[in-house]
Amino acid sequence: MDQWAADLRDSVTQGAVLREDFGADAGEIDAVRAEYPMRIPRYYYNLIEEPGDPIWKQAVPSIQELQDVEADEDPLREEEDSPVPRLTHRYPDRVLFLVTDRCPMYCRFCTRKRMVGRTSDVNQKTIALGLDYIRSHPEIRDVLLSGGDPLMLSDQKLERIISSLRSIPHVEIIRIGTKFPCVLPSRITGGLCAMLSRYHPLYINTHFNHPREVTPESRAACERLANAGIPVGCQKVLLRGVNDDPQIIKELMHKLLLMRVRPYYLYQTDLTRGTNHFRTRVEVGLDIIRALRGHTTGFAVPQFVIDAPGGGGKIPLMPEYVVELGGNEVVMRNFEGRQYVYPQVAEDDDVGVRQGRVINF
Ligand SMILES: *Cc1c(COP(=O)(O)O)cnc(C)c1O
Ligand code: SF4
């Protein structure tokens, strides 16, 4: 057995372990995990310092999950936009293709809580149907493999899917979304990286939410991917009591750049059933972006998005930098709050005013 598979098998899956180590209420944890499974790789479990800390909140079931019964199980309507099971074709040129419903860790805030670790309806057949769909739709130039976590598949199974995609001429890029570098870095083996590097252009998006998740091990895993020529991005979710603070996000973004990972999206928490206790107000995310833009490296600033309920796709949210968009000039606010005026090109005269100005106040 591969080392990572042995590590995964050794994960914490029972409330009793948390009772012994931290005095947690095992009955409560077991009641929640009967509905929404728990799996915490030992590596990630060892990052917990005390009950209720940011690592704990992401990994350990909370009774609040069961108290949230009103919300929708699939607010993003991923199933309705599925022409074949487990493939969502929402945007014109790209698809989301779920190739497993298993994960190394079951994140408590997961937007696919309805399925991960619960259903088992991703199989050879749905994968074959998905590949057929992609093959017969020449407009698809970008395939995003997700799940669950695609790296739960063995290297051989994963390679079969990736090489099938690569043999489709109109598929330009392949993307993999994976949590492994963050929760079980031993999965990112030299063998895996060598295999993936045969199918470029291939991109990986990983998922770190808190600076404490950046360790020598996770850093080495991200560097192995980068050394294999794979651009690594990171999406994160804004989570109440975990990372809903500009300083925490800034520290995380800086740590990502140190391991050659580029920040990608910062998601507002979806309206998924069982995750309501993680929601923040939208202003929190806007304040975080305002605290980063101009104050740090441009590409350390993630794009803050809400995945629109009802299947509208990701919508970017920006703090207001445009004060006024007039016919003759644009009034803008900079990162320090000062206002500047940029003259517009006249609509009937492409020279127009060439002098900008600063508004003194
Ligand atoms: C997020 C997502 C994608 C990829 O979107 P990008 O903005 O290109 O990263 C594609 N399909 C679905 C259904 C998605 O949710
Ligand atoms: S790894 Fe991703 S899909 Fe799996 S539980 Fe965590 S957030 Fe959800």
Side-chain angles (χ1 to χ4, degrees):
M1 192 192 294
D2 294 321
Q3 182 60 47
W4 71 268
D7 291 346
L8 189 64
R9 184 171 293 187
D10 189 35
S11 295
V12 174
T13 56
Q14 310 279 330
V17 179
L18 286 136
R19 180 176 55 212
E20 271 172 40
D21 292 347
F22 295 101
D25 184 336
E28 211 168 274
I29 289 170
D30 290 335
V32 178
R33 73 180 180 84
E35 185 74 14
Y36 302 115
M38 168 172 88
R39 169 154 58 206
I40 314 173
R42 284 279 169 185
Y43 159 81
Y44 195 82
Y45 184 79
N46 290 338
L47 299 179
I48 295 176
E49 288 171 1
E50 56 185 358
D53 76 7
I55 305 294
W56 175 288
K57 282 199 172 109
Q58 296 185 72
V60 179
S62 156
I63 198 71
Q64 289 167 292
E65 296 173 40
L66 295 183
Q67 292 160 350
D68 178 19
V69 292
E70 308 266 289
D72 208 321
E73 286 200 283
D74 180 20
L76 305 181
R77 298 283 175 274
E78 289 187 333
E79 319 254 336
E80 279 171 34
D81 276 351
S82 290
V84 293
R86 299 311 184 210
L87 180 143
T88 303
H89 193 176
R90 168 163 305 150
Y91 298 106
D93 66 341
R94 54 206 193 281
V95 292
L96 172 70
F97 187 13
L98 308 186
V99 293
T100 172
D101 42 27
R102 296 289 181 266
C103 299
M105 181 165 101
Y106 293 113
C107 311
R108 308 324 299 171
F109 52 83
C110 182
T111 194
R112 299 205 185 101
K113 234 172 149 73
R114 68 179 187 277
M115 58 177 277
V116 291
R118 303 170 89 193
T119 56
S120 39
D121 48 10
V122 177
N123 50 44
Q124 292 306 323
K125 182 144 179 264
T126 62
I127 290 173
L129 285 171
L131 289 169
D132 284 345
Y133 181 85
I134 295 165
R135 216 173 273 123
S136 59
H137 286 78
E139 70 276 21
I140 299 172
R141 42 161 287 286
D142 173 3
V143 176
L144 171 48
L145 300 179
S146 185
D149 193 314
L151 299 193
M152 287 295 281
L153 303 178
S154 67
D155 291 2
Q156 292 76 3
K157 276 191 180 157
L158 187 62
E159 181 164 18
R160 242 175 277 146
I161 296 171
I162 297 175
S163 65
S164 304
L165 288 171
R166 257 295 151 249
S167 71
I168 303 172
H170 55 263
V171 173
E172 296 176 357
I173 64 170
I174 299 169
R175 296 195 259 175
I176 300 175
T178 179
K179 189 85 187 169
F180 271 97
C182 175
V183 297
L184 189 56
S186 61
R187 173 69 183 97
I188 312 300
T189 59
L192 173 73
C193 294
M195 183 277 278
L196 295 174
S197 71
R198 288 198 289 274
Y199 299 96
H200 279 311
L202 183 140
Y203 293 74
I204 284 191
N205 240 329
T206 185
H207 181 174
F208 287 78
N209 288 323
H210 194 278
R212 270 175 46 196
E213 295 169 339
V214 178
T215 65
E217 290 88 346
S218 59
R219 179 170 178 167
C222 292
E223 288 180 344
R224 282 195 288 278
L225 292 168
N227 290 343
I230 302 168
V232 185
C234 177
Q235 42 194 22
K236 46 245 152 255
V237 187
L238 193 50
L239 300 167
R240 189 159 89 202
V242 174
N243 60 9
D244 52 344
D245 176 277
Q247 281 316 315
I248 293 175
I249 295 285
K250 191 172 181 177
E251 186 187 345
L252 173 63
M253 299 304 103
H254 290 173
K255 287 194 161 169
L256 293 177
L257 295 186
L258 278 172
M259 49 187 199
R260 283 187 278 159
V261 173
R262 270 187 82 147
Y264 190 42
Y265 288 132
L266 171 66
Y267 287 102
Q268 175 70 13
T269 305
D270 291 326
L271 300 171
T272 308
R273 186 185 302 169
T275 67
N276 191 53
H277 57 293
F278 285 111
R279 287 177 68 210
T280 53
R281 288 187 59 81
V282 174
E283 291 90 325
V284 174
L286 291 172
D287 286 344
I288 288 172
I289 301 303
R290 198 178 290 114
L292 294 180
R293 173 60 64 197
H295 297 277
T296 185
T297 310
F299 58 90
V301 185
Q303 180 94 62
F304 178 44
V305 294
I306 298 188
D307 215 334
K314 298 174 185 72
I315 302 180
L317 274 79
M318 287 281 283
E320 251 346 308
Y321 291 107
V322 176
V323 178
E324 197 186 319
L325 182 57
N328 296 324
E329 54 184 34
V330 186
V331 183
M332 306 161 292
R333 190 180 287 118
N334 83 344
F335 72 106
E336 296 163 315
R338 282 185 229 263
Q339 295 193 6
Y340 295 82
V341 178
Y342 177 89
Q344 294 265 47
V345 171
E347 283 180 37
D348 54 356
D349 163 16
D350 62 356
V351 180
V353 183
R354 299 293 294 278
Q355 195 67 48
R357 60 198 163 83
V358 181
I359 296 179
N360 293 311
F361 58 95

